[in-house]
Amino acid sequence: MTETLAPLTLLLAGPRGFCAGVDRAIQIVEQALKKFGAPVYVRHEIVHNRFVVESLEAQGAVFVQELDQVPDDRPVIFSAHGVPKAVPAEAERRQMIYLDATCPLVSKVHLEAERHHAEGLHILLIGHKGHPEVIGTMGQLPAGSVTLVEDRAQAEAIAVPDPARLAYITQTTLSVDDTKDIVAVLESRFPAIQGPRKGDICYATTNRQAAVKAIAEQSQALLVIGAPNSSNSRRLVEVAERSGCARAGLIQRASEIDWAAYADVETLGLSAGASAPEVLVDEVIAAARAHRTVTIREIRVTDETVVFKLPKALAD
């Protein structure tokens, strides 16, 4: 097959893959296992990636949906997406050992929500219904304090208690361009609305979308490695499509790729969501080389140096 098909150029988006928040969350689970021994329980997927979850399970992590599945005498970790306030409150009531792996940039949004609420403002949260981050953010405040806005149409139609007492916050993993459109509608309809001092969409989401834009127009097809329930990964596919690459798709592993379907492709873009480890990128590259003669070009839009500290309980 290598002889009959044209050589393949793989365009790697940079940055791609793990962000600082994901790296910190995984380290929290690994360090907790070293400190407390197995099993250590994790409420929900620590990050949205089955490869990562299964790797941690192999080390002794047990993933559960709710705290009532966790014994009182074992540590529990809250996922990187954040949790409603009721969750740590219940852990404290049961006198459990718990570690919060919420990404610091998600915690920043939680603090913004609390500040706006303390100032008597109703809050519009731009995000996706049912996403764990949205559930966690809305759960920081009393019911009715936050209204979810999912798209431009909702922004154009939403009714608010008092247009003069209003603020907005956003999920951290949204499409940068879509969010700008929604914010523009809200600011046009509600001139007094207050927003974050600095945008809530995190640096990693922003950078990965910029990198995909940089390779999309040059790619005949583009693959994003990430989970179907990963918001930031799904946004990368959308960004690729809107940036000139109609053949964009989401995969979890190299084994999902039908290489025959890409026989006509001579330039293939490749990126990975913020929860996908680089080993999965290497896996796709190896699979490509098994089918084609491959040249790799990386197009890097920026370098990332962000590092988040571990909780004090694990720092020693």
Side-chain angles (χ1 to χ4, degrees), residues 165-184:
R165 307 288 297 162
L166 200 60
Y168 76 85
I169 55 177
T170 85
Q171 186 178 330
T172 63
T173 55
L174 301 177
S175 160
V176 173
D177 294 334
D178 284 350
T179 304
K180 284 180 181 176
D181 287 345
I182 295 170
V183 169

PDB file of all heavy atoms in Angstrom, residues 165-184:
ATOM      1  N   ARG A 165     -29.291  44.974  36.240  1.00  0.00           N
ATOM      2  CA  ARG A 165     -28.566  44.230  37.283  1.00  0.00           C
ATOM      3  C   ARG A 165     -28.217  42.858  36.721  1.00  0.00           C
ATOM      4  O   ARG A 165     -28.832  41.841  37.045  1.00  0.00           O
ATOM      5  CB  ARG A 165     -29.425  44.080  38.545  1.00  0.00           C
ATOM      6  CG  ARG A 165     -29.983  45.385  39.097  1.00  0.00           C
ATOM      7  CD  ARG A 165     -28.900  46.236  39.741  1.00  0.00           C
ATOM      8  NE  ARG A 165     -28.306  45.575  40.883  1.00  0.00           N
ATOM      9  CZ  ARG A 165     -27.138  45.918  41.410  1.00  0.00           C
ATOM     10  NH1 ARG A 165     -26.423  46.899  40.871  1.00  0.00           N
ATOM     11  NH2 ARG A 165     -26.675  45.280  42.467  1.00  0.00           N
ATOM     12  N   LEU A 166     -27.201  42.833  35.850  1.00  0.00           N
ATOM     13  CA  LEU A 166     -26.933  41.639  35.072  1.00  0.00           C
ATOM     14  C   LEU A 166     -25.436  41.457  34.850  1.00  0.00           C
ATOM     15  O   LEU A 166     -24.695  42.426  34.695  1.00  0.00           O
ATOM     16  CB  LEU A 166     -27.638  41.776  33.720  1.00  0.00           C
ATOM     17  CG  LEU A 166     -27.926  40.540  32.879  1.00  0.00           C
ATOM     18  CD1 LEU A 166     -28.823  39.561  33.632  1.00  0.00           C
ATOM     19  CD2 LEU A 166     -28.603  40.958  31.569  1.00  0.00           C
ATOM     20  N   ALA A 167     -24.994  40.187  34.846  1.00  0.00           N
ATOM     21  CA  ALA A 167     -23.597  39.859  34.539  1.00  0.00           C
ATOM     22  C   ALA A 167     -23.570  38.573  33.728  1.00  0.00           C
ATOM     23  O   ALA A 167     -24.537  37.793  33.746  1.00  0.00           O
ATOM     24  CB  ALA A 167     -22.790  39.686  35.818  1.00  0.00           C
ATOM     25  N   TYR A 168     -22.473  38.356  33.013  1.00  0.00           N
ATOM     26  CA  TYR A 168     -22.320  37.079  32.316  1.00  0.00           C
ATOM     27  C   TYR A 168     -20.973  36.461  32.656  1.00  0.00           C
ATOM     28  O   TYR A 168     -19.989  37.148  32.958  1.00  0.00           O
ATOM     29  CB  TYR A 168     -22.470  37.243  30.795  1.00  0.00           C
ATOM     30  CG  TYR A 168     -21.274  37.843  30.093  1.00  0.00           C
ATOM     31  CD1 TYR A 168     -20.193  37.049  29.676  1.00  0.00           C
ATOM     32  CD2 TYR A 168     -21.201  39.212  29.848  1.00  0.00           C
ATOM     33  CE1 TYR A 168     -19.096  37.598  29.041  1.00  0.00           C
ATOM     34  CE2 TYR A 168     -20.105  39.765  29.205  1.00  0.00           C
ATOM     35  CZ  TYR A 168     -19.056  38.955  28.804  1.00  0.00           C
ATOM     36  OH  TYR A 168     -17.962  39.502  28.180  1.00  0.00           O
ATOM     37  N   ILE A 169     -20.959  35.128  32.623  1.00  0.00           N
ATOM     38  CA  ILE A 169     -19.746  34.332  32.763  1.00  0.00           C
ATOM     39  C   ILE A 169     -19.828  33.243  31.699  1.00  0.00           C
ATOM     40  O   ILE A 169     -20.872  33.057  31.068  1.00  0.00           O
ATOM     41  CB  ILE A 169     -19.604  33.696  34.165  1.00  0.00           C
ATOM     42  CG1 ILE A 169     -20.860  32.866  34.511  1.00  0.00           C
ATOM     43  CG2 ILE A 169     -19.372  34.771  35.220  1.00  0.00           C
ATOM     44  CD1 ILE A 169     -20.781  32.142  35.852  1.00  0.00           C
ATOM     45  N   THR A 170     -18.726  32.523  31.459  1.00  0.00           N
ATOM     46  CA  THR A 170     -18.778  31.483  30.432  1.00  0.00           C
ATOM     47  C   THR A 170     -18.084  30.210  30.893  1.00  0.00           C
ATOM     48  O   THR A 170     -17.186  30.231  31.737  1.00  0.00           O
ATOM     49  CB  THR A 170     -18.127  31.936  29.093  1.00  0.00           C
ATOM     50  OG1 THR A 170     -16.712  31.717  29.151  1.00  0.00           O
ATOM     51  CG2 THR A 170     -18.427  33.384  28.774  1.00  0.00           C
ATOM     52  N   GLN A 171     -18.516  29.107  30.293  1.00  0.00           N
ATOM     53  CA  GLN A 171     -17.788  27.847  30.397  1.00  0.00           C
ATOM     54  C   GLN A 171     -16.394  28.075  29.813  1.00  0.00           C
ATOM     55  O   GLN A 171     -16.218  28.881  28.897  1.00  0.00           O
ATOM     56  CB  GLN A 171     -18.562  26.791  29.600  1.00  0.00           C
ATOM     57  CG  GLN A 171     -18.049  25.374  29.698  1.00  0.00           C
ATOM     58  CD  GLN A 171     -18.936  24.422  28.910  1.00  0.00           C
ATOM     59  OE1 GLN A 171     -20.131  24.646  28.757  1.00  0.00           O
ATOM     60  NE2 GLN A 171     -18.343  23.344  28.388  1.00  0.00           N
ATOM     61  N   THR A 172     -15.399  27.350  30.302  1.00  0.00           N
ATOM     62  CA  THR A 172     -14.012  27.623  29.892  1.00  0.00           C
ATOM     63  C   THR A 172     -13.620  26.964  28.579  1.00  0.00           C
ATOM     64  O   THR A 172     -12.564  27.273  28.031  1.00  0.00           O
ATOM     65  CB  THR A 172     -13.022  27.150  30.977  1.00  0.00           C
ATOM     66  OG1 THR A 172     -13.133  25.729  31.122  1.00  0.00           O
ATOM     67  CG2 THR A 172     -13.270  27.837  32.305  1.00  0.00           C
ATOM     68  N   THR A 173     -14.463  26.057  28.057  1.00  0.00           N
ATOM     69  CA  THR A 173     -14.039  25.251  26.905  1.00  0.00           C
ATOM     70  C   THR A 173     -14.881  25.514  25.655  1.00  0.00           C
ATOM     71  O   THR A 173     -15.014  24.647  24.789  1.00  0.00           O
ATOM     72  CB  THR A 173     -14.112  23.752  27.249  1.00  0.00           C
ATOM     73  OG1 THR A 173     -15.437  23.434  27.712  1.00  0.00           O
ATOM     74  CG2 THR A 173     -13.110  23.399  28.320  1.00  0.00           C
ATOM     75  N   LEU A 174     -15.425  26.697  25.523  1.00  0.00           N
ATOM     76  CA  LEU A 174     -16.304  27.021  24.406  1.00  0.00           C
ATOM     77  C   LEU A 174     -15.530  27.441  23.154  1.00  0.00           C
ATOM     78  O   LEU A 174     -14.333  27.735  23.218  1.00  0.00           O
ATOM     79  CB  LEU A 174     -17.243  28.160  24.804  1.00  0.00           C
ATOM     80  CG  LEU A 174     -18.158  27.913  26.001  1.00  0.00           C
ATOM     81  CD1 LEU A 174     -18.969  29.165  26.292  1.00  0.00           C
ATOM     82  CD2 LEU A 174     -19.076  26.733  25.741  1.00  0.00           C
ATOM     83  N   SER A 175     -16.245  27.501  22.046  1.00  0.00           N
ATOM     84  CA  SER A 175     -15.696  28.103  20.832  1.00  0.00           C
ATOM     85  C   SER A 175     -15.482  29.593  21.072  1.00  0.00           C
ATOM     86  O   SER A 175     -16.406  30.300  21.480  1.00  0.00           O
ATOM     87  CB  SER A 175     -16.664  27.900  19.661  1.00  0.00           C
ATOM     88  OG  SER A 175     -16.404  28.829  18.638  1.00  0.00           O
ATOM     89  N   VAL A 176     -14.272  30.060  20.840  1.00  0.00           N
ATOM     90  CA  VAL A 176     -13.959  31.478  21.038  1.00  0.00           C
ATOM     91  C   VAL A 176     -14.850  32.346  20.154  1.00  0.00           C
ATOM     92  O   VAL A 176     -15.434  33.347  20.611  1.00  0.00           O
ATOM     93  CB  VAL A 176     -12.475  31.752  20.738  1.00  0.00           C
ATOM     94  CG1 VAL A 176     -12.173  33.248  20.781  1.00  0.00           C
ATOM     95  CG2 VAL A 176     -11.585  31.000  21.728  1.00  0.00           C
ATOM     96  N   ASP A 177     -15.000  31.962  18.878  1.00  0.00           N
ATOM     97  CA  ASP A 177     -15.772  32.783  17.945  1.00  0.00           C
ATOM     98  C   ASP A 177     -17.260  32.774  18.276  1.00  0.00           C
ATOM     99  O   ASP A 177     -17.923  33.821  18.243  1.00  0.00           O
ATOM    100  CB  ASP A 177     -15.551  32.296  16.512  1.00  0.00           C
ATOM    101  CG  ASP A 177     -14.115  32.517  16.039  1.00  0.00           C
ATOM    102  OD1 ASP A 177     -13.461  33.440  16.577  1.00  0.00           O
ATOM    103  OD2 ASP A 177     -13.657  31.777  15.159  1.00  0.00           O
ATOM    104  N   ASP A 178     -17.813  31.593  18.586  1.00  0.00           N
ATOM    105  CA  ASP A 178     -19.230  31.516  18.949  1.00  0.00           C
ATOM    106  C   ASP A 178     -19.527  32.355  20.182  1.00  0.00           C
ATOM    107  O   ASP A 178     -20.552  33.041  20.267  1.00  0.00           O
ATOM    108  CB  ASP A 178     -19.633  30.066  19.227  1.00  0.00           C
ATOM    109  CG  ASP A 178     -19.800  29.250  17.967  1.00  0.00           C
ATOM    110  OD1 ASP A 178     -19.782  29.854  16.876  1.00  0.00           O
ATOM    111  OD2 ASP A 178     -19.944  28.022  18.071  1.00  0.00           O
ATOM    112  N   THR A 179     -18.627  32.284  21.152  1.00  0.00           N
ATOM    113  CA  THR A 179     -18.843  33.011  22.400  1.00  0.00           C
ATOM    114  C   THR A 179     -18.818  34.518  22.165  1.00  0.00           C
ATOM    115  O   THR A 179     -19.627  35.255  22.746  1.00  0.00           O
ATOM    116  CB  THR A 179     -17.787  32.599  23.445  1.00  0.00           C
ATOM    117  OG1 THR A 179     -17.835  31.174  23.618  1.00  0.00           O
ATOM    118  CG2 THR A 179     -18.049  33.271  24.791  1.00  0.00           C
ATOM    119  N   LYS A 180     -17.905  34.963  21.303  1.00  0.00           N
ATOM    120  CA  LYS A 180     -17.876  36.396  20.961  1.00  0.00           C
ATOM    121  C   LYS A 180     -19.204  36.844  20.381  1.00  0.00           C
ATOM    122  O   LYS A 180     -19.708  37.931  20.694  1.00  0.00           O
ATOM    123  CB  LYS A 180     -16.744  36.678  19.964  1.00  0.00           C
ATOM    124  CG  LYS A 180     -15.353  36.705  20.576  1.00  0.00           C
ATOM    125  CD  LYS A 180     -14.309  36.984  19.493  1.00  0.00           C
ATOM    126  CE  LYS A 180     -12.896  36.988  20.071  1.00  0.00           C
ATOM    127  NZ  LYS A 180     -11.871  37.173  19.006  1.00  0.00           N
ATOM    128  N   ASP A 181     -19.804  36.016  19.516  1.00  0.00           N
ATOM    129  CA  ASP A 181     -21.092  36.348  18.908  1.00  0.00           C
ATOM    130  C   ASP A 181     -22.191  36.453  19.968  1.00  0.00           C
ATOM    131  O   ASP A 181     -23.013  37.371  19.936  1.00  0.00           O
ATOM    132  CB  ASP A 181     -21.480  35.285  17.866  1.00  0.00           C
ATOM    133  CG  ASP A 181     -20.650  35.375  16.602  1.00  0.00           C
ATOM    134  OD1 ASP A 181     -19.979  36.411  16.401  1.00  0.00           O
ATOM    135  OD2 ASP A 181     -20.670  34.413  15.820  1.00  0.00           O
ATOM    136  N   ILE A 182     -22.198  35.490  20.883  1.00  0.00           N
ATOM    137  CA  ILE A 182     -23.230  35.496  21.931  1.00  0.00           C
ATOM    138  C   ILE A 182     -23.063  36.702  22.847  1.00  0.00           C
ATOM    139  O   ILE A 182     -24.039  37.386  23.194  1.00  0.00           O
ATOM    140  CB  ILE A 182     -23.170  34.182  22.733  1.00  0.00           C
ATOM    141  CG1 ILE A 182     -23.541  32.999  21.837  1.00  0.00           C
ATOM    142  CG2 ILE A 182     -24.107  34.245  23.955  1.00  0.00           C
ATOM    143  CD1 ILE A 182     -23.287  31.640  22.460  1.00  0.00           C
ATOM    144  N   VAL A 183     -21.818  36.983  23.226  1.00  0.00           N
ATOM    145  CA  VAL A 183     -21.554  38.136  24.089  1.00  0.00           C
ATOM    146  C   VAL A 183     -21.973  39.431  23.387  1.00  0.00           C
ATOM    147  O   VAL A 183     -22.555  40.335  24.012  1.00  0.00           O
ATOM    148  CB  VAL A 183     -20.064  38.191  24.495  1.00  0.00           C
ATOM    149  CG1 VAL A 183     -19.719  39.524  25.154  1.00  0.00           C
ATOM    150  CG2 VAL A 183     -19.730  37.029  25.437  1.00  0.00           C
ATOM    151  N   ALA A 184     -21.710  39.531  22.086  1.00  0.00           N
ATOM    152  CA  ALA A 184     -22.091  40.733  21.329  1.00  0.00           C
ATOM    153  C   ALA A 184     -23.602  40.948  21.379  1.00  0.00           C
ATOM    154  O   ALA A 184     -24.078  42.087  21.532  1.00  0.00           O
ATOM    155  CB  ALA A 184     -21.616  40.623  19.888  1.00  0.00           C
TER     156      ALA A 184
END
